[in-house]
Amino acid sequence: MRMALGASPRDVLRMVLGESLRLATLGVVGGLIAAFALTRVLASLLYEVSATDPRTFASMAVLLTLVALLASWIPRVVPRASIRW
């Protein structure tokens, strides 16, 4: 719709990825808060990793953010498939 009104594809992509990044960041922050709150439960389920391992928390936050951005970018690459579903 925005492109029909004169927006460039670059502007639309930037807008979509920006909104997706904001939502992903909110989700990751909420997940980190919940994970830290549940460390006692998590500690009994983990093997050879502490429940508050900063490297694990950081790598999962980055991975989930990248997956969210990729999921936002894929409909740009294959628009017909995104409309079909």
Side-chain angles (χ1 to χ4, degrees), residues 38-53:
L38 298 171
T39 54
R40 292 184 186 199
V41 175
L42 291 173
S44 65
L45 301 173
L46 298 173
Y47 179 72
E48 293 187 10
V49 177
S50 73
T52 57
D53 182 35

Side-chain angles (χ1 to χ4, degrees), residues 61-82:
V62 169
L63 177 67
L64 290 174
T65 303
L66 290 175
V67 167
L69 286 175
L70 181 64
S72 300
W73 184 68
I74 286 175
R76 162 92 165 73
V77 176
V78 188
R80 181 173 290 176
S82 64

Side-chain angles (χ1 to χ4, degrees), residues 2-73:
R2 291 183 185 269
M3 290 175 63
L5 294 173
S8 70
R10 182 176 162 190
D11 292 336
V12 173
L13 180 63
R14 185 181 311 152
M15 180 194 68
V16 169
L17 291 179
E19 289 177 10
S20 299
L21 184 60
R22 276 193 289 275
L23 288 174
T25 302
L26 286 173
V28 166
V29 169
L32 287 173
I33 291 170
F36 275 117
L38 298 171
T39 54
R40 292 184 186 199
V41 175
L42 291 173
S44 65
L45 301 173
L46 298 173
Y47 179 72
E48 293 187 10
V49 177
S50 73
T52 57
D53 182 35
R55 195 175 340 170
T56 303
F57 273 93
S59 62
M60 287 301 104
V62 169
L63 177 67
L64 290 174
T65 303
L66 290 175
V67 167
L69 286 175
L70 181 64
S72 300
W73 184 68

